[in-house]
Amino acid sequence: MKILLKIAYLGTAYCGYQVQPNGVTVQEKLNEAARSIFGFDCDIVGCSRTDSGVHARGFCATVTRRGTDELTTAIPIENIPRAMNAVLPPDISVLCAEWRNADFHARYDVISKEYEYLFYNGSARDPFLLDRAWQLKKPLADQAIDAMRRAAAAFVGEHDFSALRDGGFDTDEKDATRRVFSTSVEKKGELICFRVRANGFLYHMVRIMAGTLYAVACGSILPEEIGGRLAAGARGGFGVTAPACGLYLDRVYY
């Protein structure tokens, strides 16, 4: 058996999830916490990578004893979150823990993931949303938000999303076909919330979607052009890569 953790974190202070030599990461802090409470080195396998500055509300990761597919502990499973949170930094929290079979894989067993991207649409910048949302230069009208909604709907379905990725980890992955199950754009007070659920995502795909929706709101791309631009496959046919600060991995489905 292995332990599956559900984790929330603010990504502002971290160079993404995955351990790397040039900065502090979320996985590094989880490794340290697991070693502290279990008394031995562990392998922490996450459901995906997240970039520097990206946040998570429902990130999932498994814990096993290093070099094995299992973990044995006398700590009751319901006490694991409290034990790990006692040694984790305050911007990372283990929300819950459960046992899974040894053959369960946190990444490869994912059916779909859902992200949320937050735009701040207020008339003056909000210091309490610093590094929590993309603070737009000026508020968008309801008509512009409706255009964003129609553009987001055009991403639904199975498409080749080659044009919606930047150079990075997955550039050698030839198959860029992904199935987007749902999208939504909602106005909640001074926030505009873009949500997208898919069976997988390419490098920066959601952030490019968000940047494209902003371009649609500004009138430089029309909602009805999205399908044709996807078919053309050119990165230049879409908007900028939106800032990492507005992106949240919200939920993972197994």
Side-chain angles (χ1 to χ4, degrees):
M1 300 289 283
K2 61 180 63 172
I3 293 176
L4 176 67
L5 305 176
K6 182 178 178 182
I7 304 156
Y9 58 83
L10 288 173
T12 307
Y14 300 101
C15 295
Y17 167 75
Q18 188 163 314
V19 168
Q20 53 183 288
N22 64 338
V24 180
T25 66
V26 175
Q27 187 181 33
E28 176 185 339
K29 293 301 180 182
L30 290 170
N31 283 335
E32 292 172 357
R35 185 187 310 115
S36 176
I37 71 166
F38 295 120
F40 46 77
D41 288 335
C42 294
D43 289 321
I44 312 285
V45 178
C47 60
S48 67
R49 303 181 182 98
T50 56
D51 296 335
S52 178
V54 172
H55 317 296
R57 300 191 188 101
F59 192 93
C60 293
T62 54
V63 186
T64 57
R65 186 165 188 151
R66 181 152 298 172
T68 76
D69 291 326
E70 300 195 38
L71 185 149
T72 302
T73 177
I75 305 173
I77 192 68
E78 64 271 16
N79 292 344
I80 296 293
R82 184 173 60 183
M84 292 197 70
N85 289 338
V87 292
L88 282 167
D91 50 6
I92 303 174
S93 178
V94 175
L95 305 177
C96 61
E98 60 184 66
W99 289 109
R100 288 294 178 109
N101 291 331
D103 61 354
F104 175 83
H105 198 285
R107 180 179 178 186
Y108 299 132
D109 286 345
V110 171
I111 296 172
S112 64
K113 290 179 285 188
E114 185 167 297
Y115 283 87
E116 182 174 58
Y117 194 92
L118 298 182
F119 304 82
Y120 175 67
N121 197 43
S123 58
R125 68 176 180 268
D126 186 340
F128 297 103
L129 289 176
L130 178 67
D131 296 325
R132 307 289 190 272
W134 184 4
Q135 303 209 26
L136 304 179
K137 293 181 179 179
K138 60 180 182 179
L140 300 175
D142 288 346
Q143 184 177 3
I145 297 172
D146 183 62
M148 294 172 72
R149 191 174 292 115
R150 289 184 282 120
F155 290 125
V156 174
E158 188 169 274
H159 306 284
D160 182 339
F161 284 101
S162 297
L164 267 73
R165 67 174 168 192
D166 287 329
F169 294 111
D170 63 6
T171 51
D172 292 333
E173 187 176 350
K174 294 181 180 180
D175 185 7
T177 301
R178 299 292 185 272
R179 176 171 291 277
V180 173
F181 298 113
S182 63
T183 61
S184 65
V185 177
E186 295 183 64
K187 185 178 179 182
K188 298 180 179 179
E190 293 183 319
L191 287 174
I192 300 170
C193 307
F194 164 53
R195 300 183 71 88
V196 55
R197 179 181 174 185
N199 65 352
F201 295 91
L202 301 169
Y203 184 61
H204 286 173
M205 179 173 161
V206 181
R207 289 169 61 186
I208 297 171
M209 284 180 166
T212 299
L213 296 186
Y214 182 61
V216 167
C218 294
S220 56
I221 298 175
L222 299 177
E224 54 267 27
E225 294 176 345
I226 296 296
R229 291 178 182 235
L230 279 174
R235 173 67 184 89
F238 292 89
V240 300
T241 302
C245 62
L247 184 60
Y248 298 75
L249 175 54
D250 199 60
R251 188 171 178 182
V252 178
Y253 296 84
Y254 290 107

